[in-house]
Structures are given as structure tokens and as C-alpha cells.
Amino acid sequence: MTENTNSGCSQRDSAEHEGYAKASRSFNRIWKERDSAQSKLLEAILYKDNLNRAYKRVKANKGAAGIDGMTIEEALPYLKEHQQELINRILRGKYTPLKMQKV
């Protein structure tokens, strides 16, 4: 039996690198699937009928102003004017409430 006395232990390093490469590929695949699932979930949440239902529920419950200070009465005209812009920013992960935005 021969023993590898090389301090670099290339056989072990090679095996560890191979295992790491497999784990890295698996992680990348899982990450891409997560992004795909998240995108589909956001699209479902931001679907026009869901947004309309959410608005009507907040209005019916006389919901309080949000973090941006906007009342439900002020929200409808704003949402009508900026709906697509807001949806796009949410989908891109770039949305922040008005009061939270840096001017």
C-alpha cells in the first residue's frame, strides 16, 4: 500500500473539489427554480382581479393609512395612474413605499 505523502494531498483535494462542484451546480439549479417560482407567485398576487379584490376589502374595512400615509380615498386615483409602474417595480424588486423612498 502506498501512502500519499504529498502535503497538498492532490487526490483528496481533487475529490473535495469535485463534490463542491456538484453541490454548487445543485445550489444554482435550486436558486433558479426559486426565482422562477417567486416570479409566478408575484404575478398571481399582482393579477388585476386580486389587486381589485384587495382594494375593495381594504375600502370595506375602512382601512387605515399605510406607511406612506396615503388614505384609501387617495389611493384609488393614485393606483389608477401608477398601476403598471408599481407592478413593474414590485416584479423587479425595486418597490419602496413613498415615505420610505429617498428624495
Side-chain angles (χ1 to χ4, degrees), residues 22-87:
K22 287 179 185 173
S24 178
R25 282 192 296 272
S26 296
F27 177 78
N28 289 336
R29 184 178 45 76
I30 291 167
W31 193 256
K32 286 178 186 173
E33 289 172 4
R34 180 204 60 90
D35 284 348
S36 173
Q38 183 177 8
S39 176
K40 289 176 185 170
L41 179 59
L42 274 176
E43 287 175 11
I45 291 168
L46 296 171
Y47 182 66
K48 182 180 175 182
D49 291 344
N50 287 336
L51 293 175
N52 288 337
R53 259 193 310 272
Y55 174 84
K56 288 176 183 177
R57 289 188 70 182
V58 170
K59 186 168 175 75
N61 292 330
K62 298 179 179 29
I67 191 168
D68 58 6
M70 188 180 298
T71 65
I72 194 67
E73 290 79 22
E74 296 168 319
L76 186 59
Y78 181 83
L79 292 172
K80 283 182 177 180
E81 184 177 342
H82 300 283
Q83 178 181 2
Q84 197 55 52
E85 174 193 346
L86 291 169
I87 289 171

